[in-house]
Amino acid sequence: MDLIDRHGRVATDLRVSLTDRCNLRCQYCMPAEGLDWLPTEATLTDDELNRLIRIGVEMLGIRDVRFTGGEPLLRRSLPALVAATKALPSGPRTAMTSNGLGLKHTARALAEAGLDRVNISLDTTDPATFEKITRRNRLHDVIDGLAAAHDAGLRPVKVNAVLLRGINDGEAPDLLRWCMARGYELRFIEQMPLDAQHGWNREAMVTADETLALLGEHFDLTGLDGRGSAPAEKFRIDGGPHTVGIIGSVTKPFCGDCNRVRLTADGQIMNCLFAREESDLRTPMRAGATDEEIADRWIAAMMTKLPGHGIDDPTFLQSDRPMSAIGG
């Protein structure tokens, strides 16, 4: 069985949110005071997570599993969850999206558990700007975490950056040089309407075209073919070997090639990052549903996937869940 939708797209990439909690307070994600976190009893247990991942991989054709949050490193059982996923017969590819805090102490254990690579969020290398964006003085921890991931073999180490107008947009060329010097792959991502406070503003967003133009003033960029279902449009820098990615989720959506499905920390299936509808797997699982019954529910959930996220539609409504509660 495959996770196919009505438009012929097949989901093979599962994003698993391990927690909605985070130890940063990035201004484009949540308010300074944080959010009301999910109660412990609502969050999937390790056994429940392992079961749903197994069903996805063994019964529904999932080939890539990415652990996300919130901040996945806050879940102490993360290495064990990675190991259990990697031990499945098909050996799915595993990755993690993280803010990098604490990775200095866990990168080696995660690599040994079978994690293949990481994406780390870093919007600036200036301590003052980092603190302004994240409301935390933790830049040194992220930098140490990136280095530890690289040394542990979690490569390619990818860096995700969001440019905020008037805050860090002028730092884009320097951030790219910083990443190239360390062997990291940088990807700029358009700010998306996924903040808890619903303060996103299209006019304030730095677009993919603006980012490309800004970088083009400092580098010779050549577009690469073969994007496939990957979200980033990639460019070779000054003839290579380095590349940079630009993800235009808002202005240049790639919905037609989407192969992703998301499992929230409380056991809901979301077939789009911007979906307002969810499908509950936790309740039937805890009520004794068989693997086949859960798989059938998952398949049915995929059939409701829309052809696109509709951000350009005047009737677009932002998801009730912020990014920290969905999983990137």
Side-chain angles (χ1 to χ4, degrees), residues 62-300:
I62 292 296
R63 297 195 295 270
D64 295 272
V65 178
R66 175 177 294 275
F67 296 96
T68 72
E71 176 44 53
L73 289 174
L74 293 179
R75 186 133 182 172
R76 295 185 178 181
S77 57
L78 176 58
L81 292 168
V82 171
T85 298
K86 203 65 178 179
L88 292 171
S90 63
R93 293 181 292 267
T94 56
M96 177 182 69
T97 297
S98 168
N99 63 27
L101 301 187
L103 191 55
K104 175 182 178 180
H105 307 291
T106 55
R108 186 67 59 182
L110 289 170
E112 291 174 353
L115 191 68
D116 292 311
R117 61 181 185 82
V118 294
N119 289 54
I120 306 300
S121 298
L122 180 64
D123 305 319
T124 177
T125 56
D126 178 76
T129 304
F130 183 91
E131 187 169 1
K132 182 176 183 179
I133 293 173
T134 68
R135 304 184 178 101
R136 297 291 187 271
N137 181 21
R138 302 291 300 274
L139 175 61
H140 57 288
D141 289 318
V142 181
I143 291 175
D144 288 347
L146 282 163
H150 186 272
D151 293 344
L154 297 174
R155 306 172 191 166
V157 173
K158 295 186 178 181
V159 173
N160 295 340
V162 176
L163 296 181
L164 303 175
R165 196 177 301 280
I167 297 179
N168 68 332
D169 49 333
E171 299 178 37
D174 288 339
L175 182 58
L176 180 52
R177 292 188 186 96
W178 187 90
C179 287
M180 287 194 296
R182 291 157 179 80
Y184 308 150
E185 293 186 13
L186 179 59
R187 309 191 312 169
F188 292 99
I189 305 174
E190 286 182 338
Q191 182 186 357
M192 293 177 282
L194 290 168
D195 57 311
Q197 56 272 45
H198 288 207
W200 178 83
N201 182 285
R202 181 182 296 273
E203 286 67 38
M205 179 188 70
V206 179
T207 68
D209 283 343
E210 287 181 280
T211 301
L212 182 60
L214 178 61
L215 295 176
E217 296 176 2
H218 300 264
F219 307 96
D220 180 21
L221 302 178
T222 305
L224 299 177
D225 297 327
R227 174 177 176 176
S229 60
E233 186 177 3
K234 295 182 70 172
F235 299 85
R236 182 177 289 110
I237 305 168
D238 296 336
H242 299 289
T243 62
V244 63
I246 300 179
I247 301 178
S249 302
V250 176
T251 62
K252 297 182 177 182
F254 37 89
C255 302
D257 295 312
C258 179
N259 69 339
R260 288 167 288 283
V261 62
R262 289 171 169 81
L263 174 65
T264 67
D266 56 346
Q268 310 299 305
I269 289 295
M270 296 184 67
N271 53 38
C272 176
L273 190 58
F274 302 97
R276 293 182 59 81
E277 295 182 356
E278 303 172 359
S279 299
D280 183 13
L281 296 186
R282 183 192 63 196
T283 299
M285 179 169 56
R286 291 183 176 178
T290 65
D291 288 356
E292 290 74 16
E293 289 170 336
I294 292 172
D296 288 342
R297 283 177 173 269
W298 201 331
I299 291 170

Side-chain angles (χ1 to χ4, degrees), residues 18-21 36-46 48-49 75 264-268 280-283 285-287:
L18 301 182
T19 177
D20 61 329
R21 299 170 186 262
D36 293 328
W37 310 123
L38 289 169
T40 300
E41 63 272 14
T43 303
L44 295 178
T45 66
D46 289 355
E48 289 170 336
L49 281 165
R75 186 133 182 172
T264 67
D266 56 346
Q268 310 299 305
D280 183 13
L281 296 186
R282 183 192 63 196
T283 299
M285 179 169 56
R286 291 183 176 178

